[in-house]
Amino acid sequence: MADFWEESLTEQEGCLLQPFITNLDRPVFGLRNLPEVVKGALFSRYSRSDKSLRRILIDEFIKAPEASFANIVGEVANNNTAPLVSPPIEESGVAIQRAMSFYDRVLIGYGDDSVAELGGAHIACEGISNIAAKALENSRLGISPLEKSTRYVPFTRKINGRYRYYRESSIMASSHAERYEATLDHLFDTYTALIDPLLNWVQARTPRDTTTSERAYNNATKAKTLDLLRGLLPMATLTNVGLFGNGRAFEYLLVKLAASPHEEVRALGISMQQELDQIIPSFVKRAKTERGAQYAQYLRTNCERTELLAQKLLGQSDPASTPDTPTPGGSTEGTSARNWLLNGGDLHTGVSSSTVQLVEYDPDAEVKVVAAILYPHTDLTFEQIKEYVTGLSTTERVEIISTYVGERESRFHRPGRAFEETYYTFDILADLGAYRDLHRHRVLTQERQHYSVRHGYVVPIELEEANLAQPYRKALDYAAETTELISLDLPDAAQYVVPFAYRMRWRIKLNLREAYHLVELRSSRQGHPSYRIIAQEMHRQISAVHPTLVANMHFVDLNDYTLERLAAENAYSKRAMILERDIPQRKE
Ligand SMILES: Cc1cc2nc3c(=O)[nH]c(=O)nc-3n(C[C@H](O)[C@H](O)[C@H](O)COP(=O)(O)OP(=O)(O)OC[C@H]3O[C@@H](n4cnc5c(N)ncnc54)[C@H](O)[C@@H]3O)c2cc1C
């Protein structure tokens, strides 16, 4: 591999480089202990030079006075025998500022926006509402989020005697402030009060068997209880989100946050900019320039104008005047929020009250997918191969597909890119909790409607059986009245009140390859029932139109479970026992 590769470094150069390179004498190596901006600039020079990366680092950065390299990397550069310590944040921040113009020149010299993908940052956003969390997680390319779980963390803790939910500024400055707090307090009070009785009921219904450890059992039953109650949490619930992303993705995210109708989200964008400026300033600086502001304005104006136009063309989205199509299960969905309020009850009981409708698929999918499978292995055009495949029998096509997919031993054995040749569009009406979970998928298109109370809510059947549905409903009904009341004056802000149990409508367009991933992952036993049922339904509907294409979706789980987490917790207990056995435990 390295026949035509050489690296000639003096001993002194080797010493200088050693802290920053994982090896000095092989053609494959990694960078370490370098600030993001240096790595970005280094890589951008790489593509325009015949030198090796080590040579560029030595000649153009370490030895170039204008790069302020020693200042930027602090002790590491000054004393390479010392432990690899990063300079204090402030010092490093100042050094980065000083050297900025140098690195900017290198980066700009490259002339392509993609250079901003060469540096990344971890950012923690704490105490943000679910509205803001969803705005962050709406990013797809280049951002990896992780959010505090509603399954493992009870949202009961108060700070200074107050529940942790977002006090939205325009509501708090309005005559609705008192009502807003009373409603959200009531939701959190109900959530808190129901935990113990529901946990007792869950444990009574599914007693621990001898093969299950106490730890696994307690965790699984607690998770089940919190899953059942999450519907009471409003969109204002404060959460923590950690993001890792590259500079380019962050820059775009900052622009989108600045375009948000929510003041909280705009303020969050400004705070994120301040922090990113300390880590990857060169990569995100355009977000705060006039150009960034214009971009945000462009996005915001387009969204507002389109909304106005849609209202003009379609009228106010009042389900009373445009009832939804009844579902096969005979659900009463589509009754207006007004009627629903008048009726004073929930419309939907049980997790099956979501509707999943396959609204678009490609009738030529099979031909296209099979042609795409053959394409890389011939020298024919795609059109010629499609013509050939059209003449094949179903048996022949099935053979090609199963050869391509091979023996899948787990869901991680994913079919290849030929499965990206065809798309499915689903229109989904399901509870907000399910939306929050499925929205986390990125390799697809998802567009939602407003968070509202118009489509009624879902009461898990278990709450009925445990005789605990009444306080649950009462808190949700009260929240609906408050949402409607506030939305008369403050429609955007009113969305903070909407609890996760309420249903919303959104659209998912995904290719067959992502459908395999989403359906198999989201139908798995440990998943939440509200999205498991959506994944199962997606499988059923794709199977109905393209049976040959989903014939290899072996890891879809169509069963129903009473204690979803139990198998996973048991497996964890077994792994933990092995660890305890193999690794001597510290005695406290
Ligand atoms: C049981 C369960 C519990 C969960 N609990 C939590 C939780 O507590 N907190 C939380 O925040 N999330 C949680 N999630 C969500 C999870 O972290 C993922 O965000 C979500 O499942 C989307 O999956 P994905 O990234 O595989 O899929 P997609 O985003 O649809 O991506 C499809 C595939 O593309 C590839 N891909 C996509 N983007 C990237 C990228 N940036 N880098 C590398 N590869 C990429 C991966 O191979 C990925 O599997 C949970 C999910 C499940 C199923």
Side-chain angles (χ1 to χ4, degrees):
M1 172 172 137
D3 277 355
F4 295 94
W5 179 84
E6 62 167 12
E7 185 78 274
S8 50
L9 298 170
T10 65
E11 198 177 325
Q12 189 230 6
E13 286 172 336
C15 285
L16 282 172
L17 278 175
Q18 182 270 330
F20 310 111
I21 305 283
T22 52
N23 73 68
L24 290 169
D25 53 2
R26 295 195 293 276
V28 178
F29 54 95
L31 297 176
R32 60 182 176 189
N33 301 314
L34 286 172
E36 298 300 310
V37 72
V38 176
K39 286 183 279 189
L42 189 56
F43 266 51
S44 70
R45 278 291 302 133
Y46 203 21
S47 73
R48 305 287 158 103
S49 169
D50 189 38
K51 292 180 189 174
S52 71
L53 196 76
R54 292 186 185 92
R55 179 55 52 209
I56 299 174
L57 182 53
I58 288 273
D59 293 352
E60 300 184 22
F61 292 82
I62 296 180
K63 290 185 177 169
E66 68 273 31
S68 298
F69 190 80
N71 280 337
I72 282 193
V73 296
E75 291 174 41
V76 178
N78 293 332
N79 178 6
N80 61 41
T81 55
L84 301 176
V85 201
S86 296
I89 296 287
E90 263 174 46
E91 196 182 305
S92 145
V94 173
I96 287 179
Q97 291 293 335
R98 221 178 299 136
M100 187 103 90
S101 60
F102 168 79
Y103 291 101
D104 282 354
R105 273 203 313 279
V106 178
L107 296 169
I108 290 162
Y110 181 79
D112 183 336
D113 287 354
S114 64
V115 79
E117 291 167 35
L118 299 175
H122 287 86
I123 291 284
C125 301
E126 302 193 349
I128 60 169
S129 75
N130 269 260
I131 297 257
K134 284 287 104 185
L136 295 178
E137 293 169 355
N138 207 32
S139 294
R140 296 180 298 185
L141 282 179
I143 298 274
S144 303
L146 210 71
E147 182 188 344
K148 185 161 93 174
S149 168
T150 55
R151 166 178 274 182
Y152 305 110
V153 186
F155 284 69
T156 49
R157 197 158 65 82
K158 291 181 177 177
I159 290 183
N160 298 328
R162 300 166 87 206
Y163 284 118
R164 290 178 299 164
Y165 58 80
Y166 186 67
R167 271 88 183 160
E168 204 280 335
S169 57
S170 63
I171 297 179
M172 296 313 285
S174 76
S175 58
H176 300 298
E178 207 176 309
R179 168 88 185 217
Y180 179 78
E181 289 200 292
T183 306
L184 271 63
D185 283 346
H186 186 51
L187 285 167
F188 278 92
D189 278 343
T190 311
Y191 173 88
T192 308
L194 289 182
I195 289 181
D196 282 345
L198 190 59
L199 179 62
N200 290 340
W201 179 84
V202 169
Q203 294 192 335
R205 189 182 65 154
T206 42
R208 181 162 78 91
D209 63 30
T210 47
T211 59
T212 300
S213 75
E214 206 170 321
R215 192 208 61 82
Y217 178 72
N218 287 341
N219 283 354
T221 50
K222 261 188 220 153
K224 176 78 189 174
T225 305
L226 295 184
D227 267 359
L228 287 170
L229 290 177
R230 76 172 183 185
L232 287 166
L233 298 173
M235 286 303 281
T237 306
L238 297 182
T239 188
N240 299 334
V241 176
L243 300 172
F244 172 70
N246 68 53
R248 191 183 199 180
F250 271 124
E251 188 176 78
Y252 183 38
L253 175 58
L254 292 177
V255 169
K256 286 188 291 181
L257 297 181
S260 169
H262 299 291
E263 194 253 316
E264 180 204 8
V265 176
R266 293 195 300 275
L268 173 64
I270 293 168
S271 304
M272 284 174 67
Q273 175 93 57
Q274 279 166 5
E275 305 313 311
L276 288 165
D277 280 351
Q278 296 180 44
I279 311 168
I280 44 171
S282 304
F283 301 145
V284 291
K285 68 177 183 187
R286 285 185 311 188
K288 60 181 177 185
T289 61
E290 184 58 23
R291 172 183 158 153
Q294 278 171 0
Y295 193 2
Q297 187 57 42
Y298 167 79
L299 295 176
R300 192 171 181 167
T301 310
N302 286 354
C303 184
E304 285 167 359
R305 285 188 186 153
T306 314
E307 178 148 353
L308 281 176
L309 185 61
Q311 278 172 11
K312 192 174 135 200
L313 296 173
L314 299 166
Q316 288 290 334
S317 54
D318 182 357
S321 53
T322 52
D324 297 344
T325 319
T327 50
S331 134
T332 51
E333 75 173 296
T335 307
S336 74
R338 213 171 303 120
N339 286 347
W340 169 76
L341 283 171
L342 287 174
N343 293 339
D346 62 299
L347 297 173
H348 311 285
T349 301
V351 288
S352 62
S353 52
S354 55
T355 70
V356 178
Q357 195 188 358
L358 177 59
V359 287
E360 214 171 273
Y361 63 92
D362 185 350
D364 296 329
E366 201 174 289
V367 170
K368 287 181 184 166
V369 170
V370 174
I373 291 172
L374 298 175
Y375 182 83
H377 307 287
T378 79
D379 57 1
L380 302 173
T381 68
F382 195 56
E383 271 313 303
Q384 287 170 322
I385 305 171
K386 273 196 334 193
E387 212 176 301
Y388 165 75
V389 174
T390 309
L392 294 179
S393 67
T394 303
T395 318
E396 288 165 319
R397 290 180 194 174
V398 167
E399 192 191 342
I400 294 169
I401 295 170
S402 29
T403 307
Y404 178 72
V405 176
E407 303 288 320
R408 298 185 69 219
E409 283 168 16
S410 79
R411 68 178 174 81
F412 297 104
H413 292 177
R414 299 181 192 173
R417 292 188 180 179
F419 276 40
E420 293 174 21
E421 200 55 45
T422 191
Y423 281 80
Y424 302 88
T425 304
F426 288 95
D427 197 359
I428 299 179
L429 179 65
D431 67 276
L432 232 151
Y435 169 75
R436 283 176 68 252
D437 292 326
L438 293 181
H439 175 247
R440 291 291 308 277
H441 287 272
R442 292 155 293 180
V443 190
L444 72 182
T445 304
Q446 301 199 56
E447 292 270 42
R448 66 169 172 84
Q449 298 179 350
H450 292 287
Y451 307 122
S452 81
V453 292
R454 298 189 153 216
H455 300 295
Y457 55 73
V458 176
V459 183
I461 200 80
E462 290 90 337
L463 279 166
E464 302 280 5
E465 290 169 8
N467 228 355
L468 295 171
Q470 195 264 341
Y472 185 88
R473 278 204 193 91
K474 196 174 158 206
L476 294 179
D477 291 345
Y478 187 37
E481 286 168 19
T482 303
T483 309
E484 293 276 318
L485 196 67
I486 297 179
S487 66
L488 295 174
D489 301 325
L490 301 163
D492 287 327
Q495 298 179 73
Y496 279 93
V497 186
V498 182
F500 298 168
Y502 276 90
R503 303 195 310 168
M504 57 176 287
R505 203 186 286 289
W506 80 102
R507 182 177 68 87
I508 291 184
K509 179 166 183 162
L510 79 180
N511 64 45
L512 180 61
R513 196 180 189 198
E514 175 72 359
Y516 265 67
H517 174 61
L518 189 149
V519 166
E520 293 186 336
L521 175 69
R522 294 301 186 169
S523 67
S524 62
R525 176 181 178 156
Q526 70 269 29
H528 193 288
S530 64
Y531 65 68
R532 286 195 67 231
I533 206 153
I534 296 174
Q536 290 165 343
E537 192 53 27
M538 287 170 111
H539 170 261
R540 192 186 68 74
Q541 296 191 30
I542 301 179
S543 303
V545 293
H546 292 149
T548 48
L549 295 180
V550 285
N552 295 287
M553 212 184 257
H554 305 308
F555 302 100
V556 55
D557 187 339
L558 301 174
N559 299 313
D560 206 4
Y561 301 101
T562 41
L563 216 46
E564 295 82 16
R565 282 293 308 163
L566 195 58
E569 291 293 346
N570 268 332
Y572 176 86
S573 281
K574 278 193 194 119
R575 283 202 305 274
M577 269 165 62
I578 292 168
L579 272 179
E580 268 171 38
R581 202 187 53 216
D582 294 347
I583 303 170
Q585 297 297 299
R586 195 157 56 103
K587 299 261 183 304
E588 292 297 327

